[in-house]
Each structure stands twice: as structure tokens, then as C-alpha cells.
Amino acid sequence: MVKLTIDGQQVEVKEGSTILDATKKLNIWIPTLCHHPDQAVKANCRMCVVDVEGQRVLQPSCAFPVTEGMVVHTHSQKVRSARSNILELILAHHNQDCLHCPRNENCELRIIAEKMGFNKKLRFPLHIKEGMDTSSPSIVRDLSKCINCGRCEYACNEIQTVFAITKENRSFDTLYTTPFGMDLASSPCINCGQCVQACPVGALTIHDDTEKVWQAIDSDKLVVAQVAPAVRITLAEALGEEPGSISTGRLVTAMKQLGIDVVFDTDFTADLTIMEEGTELLGRINNGGVLPMITSCSPGWIKFCETYYPDHLANLSTCKSPQAMFGALLKTYYANKIGKKPQDIYSVSIMPCTAKKYEANRPELGRDGYADIDVVLTVQELAKMIKSAGINYKDLPDTQFDDPFGLGTGAGEIFGATGGVMEAALRSVYEIVTGEELKNLDFTEVRGFEGIKEATVPVGNLNVKVAVAHGLGNARKLMDAVRAKQVDYHFIEIMACPGGCIGGGGNPIKNWEKMAKRLKAVYEEDKNLPRRKSHENPAVSELYKQFLGEPNGHKSHELLHTHYFNRSDILK
Amino acid sequence: MEETRLILNNNTNYNPVCAKEYAKNGGYEALKKAVQMTPEDIINTLKESGLRGRGGAGFPMGLKISFVYKTPSDQKYVVCNADEGEPGTNKDRVIFETVPHSVIEGMIISGLACGADKGIIYLRWEYPQVNELLTKALESARKNGYLGKNILGSNHNFDIEIYIGAGAYVCGEETALLESIEGKRGEARFKPPFPGVVGLWGKPTLINNVETLANVPLILTNGPAWFKKFGTEKCPGTKLFTLCGNVNKPGVYEFPMGVNLKDLFAFGGEVKKGKLQAVQLGGVSGSIINAEQLDVKMDPETLASKGLTLGSGAVLFIDDSEDMIDLLENIMEFFVHESCGKCTPCREGNMRLLELIRKFKDHSATLEDIDTMMDLSETMICASLCGLGQASPTAIVTTIRNMKKVFTDRIKEEQNNG
Amino acid sequence: MLNEVEKIASAYKGRKDMLIKVLRDVQPLTNNTLTPEVAKTIANAMDIPLAKVYNTATFYALFSTEQRGKHVIRLCRSASCHLNQAEELLDQIAKKLQIKVGETTTDGLFTLETCECLGLCGSSPSMMIDEDVYSNVTFDQFKKIIGKYR
């Protein structure tokens, strides 16, 4: 342990801690911008500089290690002056339209200016960086708001290994942008939105589709929504409550109050996916099909695979994602059931995911000139609609999801966490193959935030070898091993976002501390549901009986399965 | 006054790239000694000599090597910083053209002292002739057993390769240099950790300026006591000064540390035309003094006591026909071009200082602008991530301090009449 | 041309530290211009992301993504050269070539740029054309020198 003094107060911290760690222990606020608790230290914004006695210059508290007997001043004249000037320099190179910026509520720059009491006129002429990119269905890039912190580049290159965003030029002209000024839609971007999650300001935001939904609500169309598993975990947080506050019943009420006609639960098609995918997996194992089979519900992962591993498209499960399966059922089976034309149903999907907007636009997800999913709204967008409608989310009563697609099991619900799809699949595959009841439903070996998890699960005569990866940097490691034939898994789950869907780009801004709380809630909700195995979902069984026939049958293949494309041209 | 040519010794009537000839003229004697010494002995010799870095930072060489030596690692490096980019400085080029083997020998000895077997010379791309002769010199050293495996029959290995830059002054900063060798943008790293502990490819690395390394063989050959006969008590040895600007006899000259600036001026033949107006010491990142302040000893301590720096040893003489504001504009344009862009104070601050100087150029500045320049400079000096941003405001700050009239003469007309 | 670029780059496959050398070595083949095609060729041949080729190339003054000519003339504009009439020489050269600084002659032969200190401060003005170094350059000398490159 190391003892040091900060602003006259003694504090003791572990060896190897930074001054910032020590100030946190003392609850002293230090402004930071380039610092992110889940990323490597950059020390480039210089907002966190402090006065360390004996040092020639001010030192960045995010990077400078503590030493025994160190004496630090966090608001000496030198520090106050430096902080103010640094903030002023950033503001003089920044878009000034804060009043209508989508990030103005939680903009880290605005919060710092407020906490510092910065209210002087800028002494430097205003320069605004040029570059507005709305080419992507998922993410909006506004360079005029970029403060060159580098957090997006770290997320895209170091964590996700997608390499869509990089740096251009040097000095005053340094920009965080795509190579050769290509727009995001032409870049290797896979729409995961981790850059949006990393950005401290409004330079990277979610593509806002709320107006489309308002217009649909105002029209004659039947507005039918589906709600992803992770949404019930993160929506309350987006509306100011504690991370991990589950609000399943309240969100249905809120959506009905907004004017959405029907609210279904994507957990239902998550269960359906398990039936289709489990059957597919067993088919491949028993009939010499392509292994390892890899999950296909994460659209960010799918585009990543199509771009970087097009030689392994055959490994992907042909199952559509739960969102896509739902879309197909709504516009065929459900439309028919309620006597409506598919064009008169407006299907909205509420997702924690920005890449779902890209997925919904895939031409193969529709038929006869219409799309299965008309619009995807992320959690952040739904929260915006709820707030603007004046709904008091905190005190809403619960409402049930609508029939016949409102019933989901715990297996479907845990899709929201990394390892959830794998665990749900194992729960069903085990019972279906062995005919025995699982004593313990909790496959804890595939749970948690470790980058790559492995397990061997005895299922009857077969030891099923599985792997789970989350975050595309980990996916890349796993896929390189698959490509080099260094591993022999049967089944792999890959989620593009670190942590799985609860870490998706469309959720409220996260860090691993909040993620731990969201994760806990996922498994809590699972435990509290009356049914926890997909094959025990009576609504799913009913659907097969009434309409689909059998898993992987003809109707399933027509509506619930898909195909993929080689997009490696993007790199050439 | 005569030069004191220790490094640029007078016996250079031989082919500088030839290792044999260098050895015939006393070269590689130090290496012969060093392969028999322990690392501690070499380090102590250098510590005793008082040799300090000649690139501008002036860090004690022996101490620097000891950090690398003390850090355990399977691989260590010795890097020679030959990215000489400070405007007004040519000394390293002259050293390479005159006595390249002294640098090679210095690197090998440093490698023995810290436990490194790989050396890299980071050479700026603008010196293609130096690349050519260095390549030949290295080949010659290898042929004669001074580089490669089992140097001079010992069980020490050391070899050197050249890495060429691509036009970035900031790569003269040691951590940006390492980034460049790793094939990346030359952006400075924050310290700690220091390169001696976490350097090239994360391994303990010794980085030194060309001139510093060239001193090492001299010290081992002649002993620390001999070295301390030259220069000052706190900074022994000689310094290569580059005289340039409006001076009659520009060039690189070697004098003991502590030589008087007015003697340098006389040696350089004074100004070509008119009268001396100002002098900038140490390159464009150095201090500007007026013509009345010439009586000063050029060693780090004396200069520091007057708020000045030695820097690279460049001395830019400015005659009275030059417009100081125009020169400051040129200097700030340099820094705006060369800032790596990583940290806020330097990336943004250099441009803003340039804008402010231009207000003085077009007579639209106010008195407040002088305060703004000082205030902004203060922040850049104390909060920038590396030496570039910390030093770039020096020209402006010292001109305000020593030649304020240059600014006040250009204040907006209304202010003066008001 | 891209085949030659590929040949040079693939010799350093997986060696991301050699990127700067590769970028330098392909300059004569590509009219000193890093186009998206050349960048992608290098990226694929070296097995490194295009983003990395781009972020490194745009950092260093030696490289350019803007169209340049067969030869690049670089005139030093730093302090000592500045005090020794470098700008006047630059103006004369620009006028002769009928282009502005940063532009390329219509025949695609010469691009005129300024650069920072070349380390020839005692013999200013100084200049480089590609990898050839010239010092104490007068306008008359320039006219003779430029003839060698036509």
C-alpha cells in the first residue's frame, strides 16, 4: 500500500495505482475526457492534470503512478488555470449548438464545463471540424462535435478489431474518421455502436428513427411491436433508474400509452430460435454437417463474418435472428390470423442493438415488396419517446405482453447476456437428446464477462464442446483458431458487443460496473420466470402445431431461415 | 578563439567510413577496453565523467544507462536518435560525415553497459547521404569484428540497423521516435513509464542523441578526469554549436561547455549586414534574447539561471533588418506543422498562438492579446504531454520578456490613441 | 503499377513495423501519391488493416494522399533558411513552374512543396528534389538543376 496526500488529505492506495484512483477514494472530482474505465489510459486530453510537488510540469492524474509520500494539489492556481484554458481550447474547436444536440443531457464536456463553473467568453476564433455522415442506418457521425479524445478509435480498433474508424493527419487537422473520407456505409463498419457507447459527446450518436414510429402511430396502420430480452433490463436505466432495474410490465404499459397497438415479446422467438437452431445443430452433428456451427442472432457479428471471415459463412447457423423470425411471422402467419394485409401492419422492433437497424434493411428479410421489420428503435430512442410523451415511467402499473406471442421462457430471456444463447440451447438440446430432465439448469461455465469461455457438456453419448465469445476482438481470436483448424468445437456463440446484448450500442451509455448490475438482473429475471426451457414454451409448441409443422421443416426454412453474403470486397 | 575539437578531431584526413582507418587513428581503443569491463564499471566511468545528454534535455548519461541496466529483460535496445530536426541544427549530420564510427563505437559500448545486443539508428529521411555512408560504415565495422557476434573475440554480441523516418520533427522526441520505429504514427507516449523500463516494443531501451554517443569512446579512452578538464563543473566536455541565420561564417563548431555567447558571435564573424537585433538559443524551441544580452556563458546551469536553455546548441543570429513578428510567425507555423496532434494544449494551442501572432502582423492585436499569449503559453508549457508542446511557446514568451516593444509597436492604432 | 506495389509490400507480410519503409519504397512507382487503391494493395499484401496504412501515411509529411507528380521539389522554409531569403526563392520557383505551392505542373512532372529544416542551415536556401539534396540554391542554379529531371 502507498500513502500520499491530496489536497491536504491523507489516503492509502494499492501500489501501482494512479493519482486518479487515489482521488476517487477520497471522492475528489477530477475532470476527465479521454479517460474511460474500460479502456487503456491515453492521457491526451490533459483535463485531469494536477500539481505534484517536485514535478517540473503538471501531471495527468489518469496516468501518473502514486509514490510514497507524494503530495498532490488538485486545484492550485496553476491547475485551475490550465484546466480552464484546456477546456476553452476544446470549446473553441467544437460545435456550439448544444441546445439541440441529442447528447446534451449526458454530454461529458457539458458536464465538465458546468462543474467547473466555466462561463467566460472564448478568446479564440471558433473553428468547426467539417464532416457529417448519415450514410449508416445505425450510427450518425458528426465531426463538428469531436474532441479528439480517441475513445471511439480504441473501441473500434482495439476492442472490436473492426478498423472502420481511424486517425487522419496530425496537429490541428487531426481527425478521427474513416480512411479516405469514405462514408460509414462503405467502410468495414458493422454497426455495433460500441463507438457510440465510447464517445463522451455527441460526435457519434444513434440514428434516430423515432419520428417514423410517431408517424406510424398517427396513421391507420396497426402498429405491432416486439421487445428484445435485454430491453426489459436496460430501459428503466435509460429513464434514470438504477442499472439492472427490471421493468418488463411497465414497458408494455408505456408502449401502449404511446399508442402502439400490440406489444409482443421477442423472448418468444428467442425460444423459437432455440428450437430451430437446436434441431439444426443436432442435424449437423449426426449427419456430418459443417462444424463448428456458429450462432447467427447478432447482426454485427454476421456482417463481421461476411467481411472478415467469408470463408466460414457455412459455419453460421441458417436461422434468422429472433427479431427477423418475428418479423417474418408477423407479416405472414399473424397478418393472416387477424385478417390484415402485411402492408397494413407496421412492425416495430425495440432493441438494445444499433446493428439491428442494418439487419432490418437486409433485402432478403421480407417478400413481395415489403420488409418484415419496418423500423428498429433502440432503447435510447424508446426512452426518448416515453420522456417526450410526458409518461411517468417510474410509477407505471404492469401490463402483460399481448397474445399469442407474448410468452417467453427464461431460456429466451437470457439471450440478452453473453453465453445466454449457448445456455438456452444446452438446456433444450440436453433434454431433447437424452430424454432426461436437467437437474441443474444453470450452465455457469458459459456465463460471465471473460472474453472467451469454453465448456464440454456431456449430452448422452456425446461430449458437446462449446465456446462463447463476446466483443469482436475475442471473436476474431476464436475465428482465427477455427480457420487454422486449431480447435474442434461443435457449437460457438458469438456476440458482437462486449457483454452481449446488455452491452449493445443502443443501450444507455455503459461501463463494466453498470454491466455487472445488468448481468445480475438477466439471471435474476430468468430464475423468476415460471418456465425456463424453450421447448416447454406452450406458445411455441402451438405455433408448430398450427402453422410451422416441425423445426427445420419446409415452412420453417421458408420463413425462419436465411442466407449470407461475401462482403469481403469492402476490404479490397 | 580556437575550437576545442575533441569529437570533430583534427586527424580526419582519412576515409570516415573505414573502420580500419578510424582504428589506426585511435578509434575502437575504448571498445577494446569496454569488452573487458563489467557493465557497472562502464556505467561508473560515465557517471564520474559527468557526461550529460547533448540533444537538449541534458540528462546524466551514466544514470540513464543504469536504469536500463537495472531493469531485467530478455531483450534490450540501444537507440541512437539521429532525427536531427531542430531548425538551425546540423551537428549530428556533421558528426556522421566526419566520425561516424565514434557514434557506432558509443552505441556498442552503451550496449555492453546496459545489456543490449541490438542497436537502432533512427535517421531522418532528409539525410540520404548520411544513410549511404552510415550503411558503409556499419558494413566496415562488421567486417573488422567490431559489430556482430563475439565482438573483438569476447562473448558479447551487438549489431546495429538503420531505421529511416518520414518527415516528422516530433519523432526527435524519444517516445515518439519509438512509436515510429514500431511503424506507427509518431505520437509521444506519456511518462512514466520511462523508455529505460518500457521502451521499444515494451523492452528496456536506452535512447541517446548522436553527439552524446560520440562522447562515450572519448571518455573511455582518455578517462573521466580528462573529460572533466573541459567545460564546466556541472556539465563537463564540449558542445557542438551550430551557428546560423544572419551570421558571416555559419557552420558547426566545437567549443567547451560554458563558452561565452559573445565570443561565439565574434568567432562567427558577426552579422553579414546591419546590426545584431536578437539571438535565438537552441533552435526554434529555444529562448530569444536581445543584442544586449550576449554576455552569457553557454552551459545549462548558467543559462537556466537566466531563464534560458541550451537546447541542441543551435544559435540563430538575427540582424536588425528582420521583422521579429515575421520570424515568430515562421516559428509558430513550424510548430503548427509539426505537432503530433495527440494532446489538447499542443494541438490546439500552437494554432491559437499562430493566430495571435498574425494579429500582430496585421496590426489588429490588442494589449490583451499579449496577456492571452502568455496565459496560453503557461498552460502549454506546464500541461502538454511532451517536450514539443512544452517548448513551442518559448520563442514568444522570451520575446515578450526580452523584446516587448516588438509587440507593443504593433498594437491596434485605436488602442494607442485611446 | 499495383503489381509492383504488391511485390514490394508482400515481402513484409505481417510486419506492421515495416509500413513506413514500404510507403517510402513505393513512392517512385506511384507518382508519390497514396491512392485508395495503392493503400488497399499495401494493406492486403502486408495483411494489416487499411485503417493502419491510412493513419500512418497521413501522419508523415513525406507521404500524400493528394495527387502529386513524378518529382517532388521540397524547399526548406525553417528559421535559418527563412532569414536567408528562402521565401523569395520559393516565389521565383513557383512563378517559373507556373504553379502555387502544393500544386503539380500540368505535365505531371513536378510538385512544389515546402518542408521544414533540412539540416543545411549554414548553406541556406536548401532544397530536396526526391532524395537529392541541394544547398546554397540560387534561382539560376535552380533553373539548371531542374533541367536534370526533365
Side-chain angles (χ1 to χ4, degrees):
Chain A
M1 297 296 279
V2 175
K3 277 205 213 78
L4 64 152
T5 308
I6 303 181
D7 297 340
Q9 302 162 67
Q10 278 245 326
V11 65
E12 206 172 342
V13 285
K14 280 200 301 254
E15 179 108 29
S17 301
T18 61
I19 296 178
L20 188 65
D21 295 330
T23 56
K24 287 208 164 97
K25 207 162 176 198
L26 286 171
N27 281 316
I28 295 174
W29 174 73
I30 305 281
T32 63
L33 280 168
C34 66
H35 175 75
H36 192 291
D38 307 337
Q39 294 188 0
V41 175
K42 298 169 203 63
N44 66 44
C45 73
R46 314 307 283 181
M47 281 303 302
C48 71
V49 288
V50 290
D51 215 329
V52 180
E53 279 184 20
Q55 288 291 316
R56 186 179 55 93
V57 295
L58 297 179
Q59 297 294 351
S61 48
C62 66
F64 205 72
V66 298
T67 52
E68 185 68 28
M70 181 183 273
V71 180
V72 180
H73 304 278
T74 72
H75 49 270
S76 65
Q77 189 277 327
K78 219 168 165 190
V79 174
R80 295 193 327 267
S81 171
R83 259 187 217 172
S84 172
N85 287 345
I86 291 165
L87 181 64
E88 187 180 357
L89 286 171
I90 296 173
L91 292 178
H93 205 168
H94 191 85
N95 181 311
Q96 308 281 303
D97 293 337
C98 306
L99 280 178
H100 42 96
C101 173
R103 192 60 194 264
N104 60 15
E105 187 197 15
N106 57 349
C107 166
E108 291 185 34
L109 186 63
R110 185 201 63 78
I111 290 169
I112 286 176
E114 178 192 313
K115 282 172 114 153
M116 275 173 58
F118 184 92
N119 42 24
K120 49 185 244 194
K121 199 158 159 262
L122 302 180
R123 293 170 296 177
F124 312 116
L126 194 60
H127 286 273
I128 307 284
K129 294 185 185 80
E130 271 173 33
M132 182 67 157
D133 183 356
T134 53
S135 65
S136 158
S138 308
I139 297 160
V140 175
R141 277 196 315 138
D142 185 352
L143 280 172
S144 71
K145 298 177 184 173
C146 178
I147 59 168
N148 285 29
C149 68
R151 285 164 38 168
C152 60
E153 197 244 355
Y154 190 92
C156 193
N157 293 332
E158 306 300 320
I159 298 178
Q160 296 298 78
T161 68
V162 170
F163 307 108
I165 298 177
T166 187
K167 287 168 92 159
E168 177 186 89
N169 298 336
R170 69 185 188 207
S171 189
F172 197 73
D173 297 334
T174 308
L175 286 179
Y176 281 84
T177 183
T178 51
F180 295 100
M182 64 175 80
D183 59 33
L184 216 50
S186 321
S187 76
C189 174
I190 47 90
N191 314 102
C192 66
Q194 293 308 295
C195 56
V196 173
Q197 288 290 316
C199 182
V201 296
L204 289 157
T205 51
I206 299 168
H207 191 275
D208 188 344
D209 289 311
T210 52
E211 199 49 44
K212 286 191 192 146
V213 181
W214 282 124
Q215 282 174 23
I217 289 172
D218 294 338
S219 74
D220 292 328
K221 293 192 179 180
L222 184 73
V223 181
V224 181
Q226 55 165 306
V227 181
V231 174
R232 70 214 61 203
I233 308 293
T234 59
L235 182 58
E237 183 188 330
L239 288 161
E241 296 179 43
E242 271 298 299
S245 303
I246 305 167
S247 62
T248 319
R250 286 189 282 148
L251 66 84
V252 180
T253 310
M255 289 170 72
K256 292 279 175 85
Q257 285 191 8
L258 285 175
I260 295 170
D261 300 302
V262 183
V263 183
F264 287 140
D265 188 352
T266 314
D267 285 12
F268 168 78
T269 41
D271 285 330
L272 183 62
T273 303
I274 292 300
M275 298 311 295
E276 292 292 324
E277 202 157 333
T279 308
E280 187 190 4
L281 175 66
L282 290 170
R284 290 195 194 191
I285 291 175
N286 294 328
N287 303 321
V290 176
L291 292 176
M293 189 171 94
I294 311 179
T295 57
S296 55
C297 48
S298 167
W301 150 242
I302 293 298
K303 192 167 188 247
F304 185 83
C305 188
E306 290 175 322
T307 308
Y308 286 105
Y309 295 91
D311 49 327
H312 284 277
L313 293 181
N315 291 77
L316 295 171
S317 159
T318 55
C319 288
K320 289 179 177 175
S321 69
Q323 163 180 274
M325 283 194 186
F326 223 131
L329 288 173
L330 287 180
K331 301 263 178 132
T332 55
Y333 174 69
Y334 180 70
N336 201 29
K337 199 170 156 66
I338 60 170
K340 273 211 180 279
K341 290 211 281 283
Q343 292 85 339
D344 297 328
I345 295 178
Y346 192 80
S347 89
V348 180
S349 127
I350 315 292
M351 293 283 140
C353 171
T354 43
K356 287 291 176 193
K357 292 182 190 261
Y358 176 85
E359 182 185 77
N361 285 349
R362 281 182 173 252
E364 66 275 15
L365 299 182
R367 67 205 59 71
D368 303 333
Y370 65 81
D372 283 340
I373 305 284
D374 292 297
V375 74
V376 174
L377 278 190
T378 59
V379 168
Q380 281 196 26
E381 289 161 277
L382 179 60
K384 195 173 123 154
M385 286 181 79
I386 291 171
K387 261 202 278 185
S388 70
I391 295 170
N392 179 5
Y393 194 71
K394 197 138 205 317
D395 299 327
L396 287 178
D398 291 339
T399 307
Q400 301 271 49
F401 284 109
D402 288 314
D403 285 328
F405 302 135
L407 200 62
T409 68
E413 191 265 339
I414 59 177
F415 267 51
T418 163
V421 178
M422 180 60 69
E423 186 170 344
L426 289 171
R427 288 180 190 177
S428 288
V429 164
Y430 181 88
E431 291 201 352
I432 289 173
V433 168
T434 63
E436 290 163 22
E437 197 189 315
L438 257 178
K439 300 251 183 359
N440 180 11
L441 287 178
D442 300 323
F443 285 86
T444 53
E445 325 91 294
V446 298
R447 294 186 186 183
F449 291 145
E450 207 182 306
I452 299 177
K453 295 163 278 185
E454 289 173 302
T456 305
V457 182
V459 177
N461 303 333
L462 184 62
N463 279 334
V464 179
K465 299 204 202 94
V466 304
V468 174
H470 60 111
L472 291 169
N474 291 315
R476 189 180 279 281
K477 282 195 198 121
L478 199 52
M479 289 309 292
D480 285 342
V482 169
R483 189 182 259 163
K485 300 206 194 333
Q486 289 167 349
V487 290
D488 62 347
Y489 303 113
H490 294 100
F491 191 32
I492 297 178
E493 177 204 289
I494 294 184
M495 294 296 155
C497 297
C501 310
I502 45 171
N507 284 318
I509 302 294
K510 65 174 174 173
N511 53 50
W512 282 117
E513 208 184 302
K514 292 186 182 167
M515 286 290 288
K517 297 189 179 143
R518 295 178 190 176
L519 186 72
K520 195 152 168 272
V522 169
Y523 292 110
E524 224 175 80
E525 176 80 339
D526 166 39
K527 268 214 149 66
N528 291 333
L529 284 169
R531 289 181 201 83
R532 301 176 66 202
K533 302 171 224 165
S534 300
H535 56 281
E536 289 183 354
N537 185 332
V540 168
S541 318
E542 188 65 17
L543 181 67
Y544 278 109
K545 199 158 129 209
Q546 296 292 337
F547 181 61
L548 293 173
E550 272 182 0
N552 288 192
H554 175 75
K555 259 254 148 37
S556 292
H557 269 287
E558 193 191 309
L559 293 176
L560 309 179
H561 289 255
T562 185
H563 54 279
Y564 309 105
F565 301 88
N566 182 336
R567 295 186 205 271
S568 59
D569 272 0
I570 290 173
L571 303 174
K572 298 210 175 82
Chain B
M1 185 172 69
E2 265 188 32
E3 289 185 77
T4 307
R5 292 172 76 96
L6 303 183
I7 297 172
L8 302 178
N9 66 62
N10 288 314
N11 297 338
T12 51
N13 50 3
Y14 59 85
N15 178 4
V17 306
C18 182
K20 263 212 190 81
E21 306 225 10
Y22 173 70
K24 259 202 276 193
N25 285 275
Y28 286 118
E29 281 306 310
L31 181 57
K32 285 199 191 118
K33 271 196 196 161
V35 289
Q36 313 282 9
M37 293 164 78
T38 63
E40 292 90 349
D41 285 337
I42 303 175
I43 291 172
N44 286 333
T45 308
L46 291 171
K47 273 189 174 158
E48 226 197 290
S49 75
L51 173 64
R52 287 163 59 178
R54 295 290 195 256
F59 196 87
M61 175 62 158
L63 187 59
K64 206 180 204 184
I65 299 184
S66 74
F67 294 147
V68 184
Y69 172 62
K70 288 198 186 113
T71 309
S73 178
D74 57 337
Q75 177 70 61
K76 300 185 188 183
Y77 299 97
V78 172
V79 172
C80 169
N81 185 346
D83 192 55
E84 182 167 69
E86 187 68 55
T89 318
N90 317 338
K91 63 183 181 69
D92 296 337
R93 177 176 57 77
V94 169
I95 293 174
F96 278 132
E97 287 170 350
T98 323
V99 280
H101 282 281
S102 67
V103 183
I104 294 172
E105 193 181 1
M107 285 179 77
I108 307 169
I109 294 172
S110 303
L112 296 174
C114 70
D117 65 351
K118 282 203 171 80
I120 295 167
I121 298 176
Y122 184 90
L123 180 67
R124 61 187 314 218
W125 87 272
E126 297 92 336
Y127 283 177
Q129 345 84 300
V130 174
N131 182 28
E132 223 187 285
L133 69 84
L134 256 182
T135 305
K136 291 200 188 116
L138 288 172
E139 213 19 70
S140 180
R142 275 181 211 115
K143 262 215 210 81
N144 288 278
Y146 300 114
L147 276 178
K149 293 215 176 336
N150 304 111
I151 294 171
L152 295 177
S154 71
N155 60 0
H156 294 291
N157 306 329
F158 194 86
D159 210 333
I160 298 174
E161 60 184 52
I162 303 173
Y163 194 97
I164 311 271
Y169 161 82
V170 68
C171 289
E173 198 278 338
E174 61 178 12
T175 61
L177 190 156
L178 296 178
E179 291 287 293
S180 193
I181 295 178
E182 294 183 9
K184 302 188 266 184
R185 294 164 64 90
E187 294 172 345
R189 299 175 182 173
F190 55 83
K191 303 183 278 205
F194 291 90
V197 178
V198 180
L200 185 62
W201 303 114
K203 307 291 183 185
T205 305
L206 177 73
I207 308 174
N208 280 116
N209 177 260
V210 173
E211 191 183 345
T212 317
L213 290 163
N215 273 290
V216 170
L218 295 175
I219 293 167
L220 261 82
T221 305
N222 301 294
W226 165 88
F227 190 71
K228 288 199 276 208
K229 286 203 291 207
F230 307 94
T232 66
E233 196 194 318
K234 291 236 172 77
C235 197
T238 58
K239 179 81 192 78
L240 264 62
F241 294 95
T242 314
L243 307 186
C244 60
N246 299 136
V247 74
N248 265 308
K249 292 193 294 178
V252 176
Y253 306 105
E254 189 174 355
F255 289 103
M257 275 286 189
V259 64
N260 198 304
L261 178 59
K262 62 176 173 29
D263 293 334
L264 278 180
F265 185 45
F267 183 88
E270 307 210 350
V271 280
K272 280 193 270 208
K273 58 180 179 6
K275 283 203 335 249
L276 183 70
Q277 185 189 179
V279 185
Q280 187 168 28
L281 307 172
V284 296
S285 58
S287 332
I288 290 181
I289 55 175
N290 62 50
E292 269 76 69
Q293 295 171 301
L294 238 59
D295 188 359
V296 62
K297 287 220 188 106
M298 300 285 281
D299 66 86
E301 277 60 51
T302 311
L303 291 170
S305 71
K306 295 182 194 277
L308 305 169
T309 45
L310 184 58
S312 64
V315 189
L316 184 77
F317 294 98
I318 305 152
D319 69 37
D320 60 357
S321 74
E322 301 292 343
D323 177 358
M324 288 303 293
I325 295 291
D326 178 71
L327 177 62
L328 287 173
E329 183 193 29
N330 177 278
I331 291 172
M332 291 323 297
E333 283 171 348
F334 172 81
F335 286 114
V336 166
H337 189 249
E338 299 297 337
S339 165
C340 81
K342 184 171 175 182
C343 78
T344 312
C346 177
R347 177 185 71 242
E348 308 291 327
N350 279 307
M351 177 60 90
R352 302 319 191 153
L353 286 179
L354 174 61
E355 286 173 344
L356 284 158
I357 289 290
R358 285 184 173 151
K359 283 178 83 176
F360 285 90
K361 199 165 187 199
D362 65 32
H363 294 264
S364 64
T366 64
L367 274 174
E368 277 82 49
D369 289 327
I370 299 181
D371 292 334
T372 304
M373 287 196 297
M374 284 302 287
D375 186 30
L376 177 54
S377 298
E378 269 286 315
T379 296
M380 290 171 69
I381 290 167
C382 74
S384 293
L385 191 150
C386 84
L388 192 157
Q390 289 163 9
S392 65
T394 307
I396 291 178
V397 166
T398 50
T399 307
I400 292 175
R401 190 188 309 149
N402 298 319
M403 302 174 71
K404 196 162 184 187
K405 199 165 175 295
V406 149
F407 294 96
T408 53
D409 279 352
R410 306 282 264 256
I411 301 290
K412 238 188 336 198
E413 283 305 309
E414 303 116 50
Q415 276 247 285
N416 285 336
N417 295 337
Chain C
M1 177 263 276
L2 290 177
N3 284 334
E4 288 157 51
V5 170
E6 214 244 321
K7 206 152 155 242
I8 292 177
S10 52
Y12 299 103
K13 188 179 171 105
R15 290 284 310 270
K16 56 187 182 177
D17 58 316
M18 290 282 105
L19 176 59
I20 293 174
K21 176 170 170 34
V22 169
L23 287 167
R24 235 181 38 248
D25 289 346
V26 306
Q27 293 241 93
L29 302 169
T30 60
N31 271 345
N32 301 291
T33 312
L34 186 74
T35 59
E37 292 72 32
V38 174
K40 281 181 184 168
T41 305
I42 294 174
N44 288 321
M46 288 182 75
D47 198 19
I48 59 179
L50 174 67
K52 176 155 175 59
V53 176
Y54 188 75
N55 77 30
T56 304
T58 58
F59 180 86
Y60 292 98
L62 183 53
F63 312 121
S64 173
T65 53
E66 302 290 311
Q67 190 59 48
R68 294 198 289 191
K70 188 149 182 268
H71 301 289
V72 183
I73 303 166
R74 294 179 174 91
L75 209 73
C76 175
R77 64 173 302 285
S78 290
S80 191
C81 288
H82 178 73
L83 294 178
N84 283 288
Q85 284 79 48
E87 253 92 41
E88 283 85 339
L89 177 62
L90 182 66
D91 287 339
Q92 289 173 302
I93 293 174
K95 223 158 146 198
K96 170 163 176 61
L97 296 176
Q98 296 178 314
I99 51 175
K100 294 210 274 277
V101 175
E103 291 178 348
T104 305
T105 52
T106 43
D107 58 8
L109 213 49
F110 299 110
T111 301
L112 180 61
E113 293 183 354
T114 56
C115 64
E116 301 297 344
C117 185
L118 294 175
L120 296 158
C121 316
S123 34
S124 26
S126 38
M127 167 179 89
M128 282 181 82
I129 300 182
D130 301 329
E131 301 235 338
D132 301 325
V133 182
Y134 302 96
S135 53
N136 286 317
V137 182
T138 63
F139 185 52
D140 285 326
Q141 283 171 346
F142 174 80
K143 287 189 277 191
K144 282 201 207 93
I145 291 166
I146 206 74
K148 287 199 287 179
Y149 296 87
R150 287 198 190 277

